[in-house]
Amino acid sequence: MPDLVKILPFILGAAVSPVLLVTTLYLLSLIDDPVKKALMFLLGGSITIGLITFLIFFTTNINPKPAPNKDLLPHLIIGVLLLFLAYGIYRRGPAKAHKEKAKKQGMLRYASLGFLLMVTNFTTIAMIFEVALEVRANQIIGTAKLLYLAATVLSSVLPILLPLLILFLAGKKSGLILKDLSGFMQKYSHVVTAVFFAVLGIYSIIKPLV
């Protein structure tokens, strides 16, 4: 599937979100109801990114005809944006968790946090635009388009899902694994993320030109 080869890097790119990951790790480290809080965070994030992805897919694919000349500018804009974001991520240093400041708002607070962090997750949204443009350029419609949409949403929430899956599947070893993961993110998340998005930014700029 040549179209999958072109689209897969951007689908995987949607999963690169250190802030979502470290925030989930922080929620799971809390004493009171950590799993419930993380699940509410997942719920809010999933609904938000699902709606954003649906909107992007079905506005950029209204006319599913290959149009490389028309798609050149969006690719260039997204590529330059990714390069600027990569530079900003590196300059800011390791991602920090968005910690709770009040407890009186209940569990809905964590769903709201998921909404807030997803709607401001510009790197993931840029990746979704790239996936949608590739789906359009390759004339992918019907069930196949829905599968790409679902894969993009799943990848976008993977930073939240991953710690939860480790917690449920690794059993007693999960605490050590999550601790090591948190330590790695605190030291190197900005470097890994900046390099990844810089490469994708360059790829996004060069791709429509060749």
Side-chain angles (χ1 to χ4, degrees), residues 80-209:
V80 172
L81 174 64
L82 287 172
L83 290 177
F84 274 107
L85 287 172
Y87 177 73
I89 289 168
Y90 182 78
R91 285 290 303 271
R92 283 197 304 269
K96 297 180 181 179
H98 284 247
K99 299 182 179 181
E100 60 179 349
K101 296 181 180 179
K103 298 182 179 180
K104 61 182 180 180
Q105 299 179 24
M107 286 294 171
L108 285 179
R109 165 179 173 76
Y110 300 96
S112 300
L113 181 61
F115 163 79
L116 176 64
L117 295 190
M118 274 299 189
V119 83
T120 57
N121 191 355
F122 301 119
T123 51
T124 293
I125 293 173
M127 292 297 97
I128 295 170
F129 266 109
E130 280 287 356
V131 174
L133 289 172
E134 288 298 329
V135 167
R136 176 182 184 272
N138 287 277
Q139 293 184 288
I140 300 171
I141 59 175
T143 303
K145 183 167 74 172
L146 291 177
L147 289 174
Y148 276 109
L149 188 153
T152 305
V153 172
L154 179 61
S155 181
S156 300
V157 299
L158 192 59
I160 307 176
L161 275 175
L162 181 61
L164 285 166
L165 289 174
I166 292 173
L167 181 66
F168 292 135
L169 297 177
K172 295 180 179 179
K173 296 181 180 180
S174 62
L176 182 60
I177 296 173
L178 292 175
K179 183 180 179 181
D180 289 343
L181 179 59
S182 179
F184 176 84
M185 294 300 295
Q186 290 174 16
K187 291 182 179 179
Y188 305 113
S189 64
H190 62 304
V191 177
V192 176
T193 307
V195 170
F196 185 83
F197 282 122
V199 171
L200 279 183
I202 294 171
Y203 175 67
S204 182
I205 292 172
I206 294 176
K207 183 178 172 298
L209 299 176

Side-chain angles (χ1 to χ4, degrees), residues 63-72 74-75 133 136-139:
N63 183 20
K65 295 180 180 179
N69 292 331
K70 292 182 181 179
D71 286 346
L72 175 61
H75 281 300
L133 289 172
R136 176 182 184 272
N138 287 277
Q139 293 184 288

